[in-house]
Amino acid sequence: KMLKEIYDAPPVLFYRGTLGEPDETCVAIVGSRQMSSYGSTMMPRIAGPLIDAGVTIVSGMALGIDGAAHIEAIKRGARTIAVLGCGVDEASVYPRAHFRLAQQILDCGGLLVSEQPPYMPALRHHFIARNRIIAGLSLGVAIVECKLKSGALITADYAADFNRNLYAVPGPAYSSLSKGPHKLIRDGA
């Protein structure tokens, strides 16, 4: 339902798994592919209460924060939605290191979704399109660890464009992975 509200909603989506209810409450958690030990420590503290409150976690199944968000949902036996920048078929799942994670998402009643057709490989420009879907599906977007040039900040921009709530998790002042969230906080997240 939320995705239909965005100005450039995808005309077609491909999926594997369980669609869920049209008014499902979703919150996106995205961030750096180079998750630090701080990010790893924060993930259960950020995702856990949301999951326990019945919120479905949406993310991009990338390495790092995205994958950790999905894993936290799976650990709690909860549904999660992975928005992919490739086809949803087994042969196209990217990153390949998350092939097993994709199956676990499906096994927990989750969803793999993409606007890319089956057998489409992951291409750089697909990820920007994927980020708009992540923000579009969600009531809010939480950014956990990212540098100042990051796909997570593109997702944050989409969240702002779509009038979604934007959250940023502060991090250690010395870490380059805190610069993105700290900028968002300074800007009003």
Side-chain angles (χ1 to χ4, degrees), residues 79 163 170:
R79 171 180 161 73
N163 200 28

Side-chain angles (χ1 to χ4, degrees), residues 14-183:
F14 300 90
Y15 73 93
R16 280 181 33 211
T18 307
L19 280 178
E21 297 299 319
D23 58 350
E24 181 173 18
T25 302
C26 298
V27 171
I29 299 176
V30 297
S32 177
R33 285 177 171 79
Q34 292 90 35
M35 180 173 60
S36 73
S37 60
Y38 173 79
S40 180
T41 300
M42 291 305 295
M43 191 51 58
R45 294 178 179 170
I46 302 303
L50 292 168
I51 295 163
D52 292 345
V55 171
T56 299
I57 300 299
V58 176
S59 199
M61 208 174 77
L63 299 174
I65 295 296
D66 291 29
H70 294 303
I71 290 167
E72 193 60 35
I74 291 165
K75 281 182 190 175
R76 294 169 182 265
R79 171 180 161 73
T80 183
I81 298 172
V83 183
L84 307 181
C86 58
V88 296
D89 57 285
E90 288 185 3
S92 301
V93 167
Y94 180 86
R96 291 309 287 174
H98 278 175
F99 181 82
R100 185 168 178 260
L101 177 58
Q103 190 56 53
Q104 291 172 322
I105 289 169
L106 296 173
D107 291 346
C108 280
L111 180 68
L112 305 179
V113 64
S114 177
E115 68 181 320
Q116 304 307 322
Y119 305 104
M120 176 62 74
L123 302 174
R124 186 176 184 92
H125 64 278
H126 293 172
F127 292 100
I128 293 172
R130 173 202 67 179
N131 293 347
R132 98 179 185 293
I133 295 171
I134 290 171
L137 283 169
S138 306
L139 289 171
V141 175
I143 309 295
V144 182
E145 292 194 318
C146 70
K147 295 182 179 180
L148 287 174
K149 291 192 92 174
S150 167
L153 292 182
I154 294 170
T155 308
D157 288 342
Y158 280 123
D161 289 348
F162 302 154
N163 200 28
R164 304 300 198 243
N165 293 317
L166 182 58
Y167 308 98
V169 178
Y174 59 82
S175 173
S176 64
L177 293 175
S178 298
K179 289 184 178 182
H182 290 175
K183 178 189 180 317

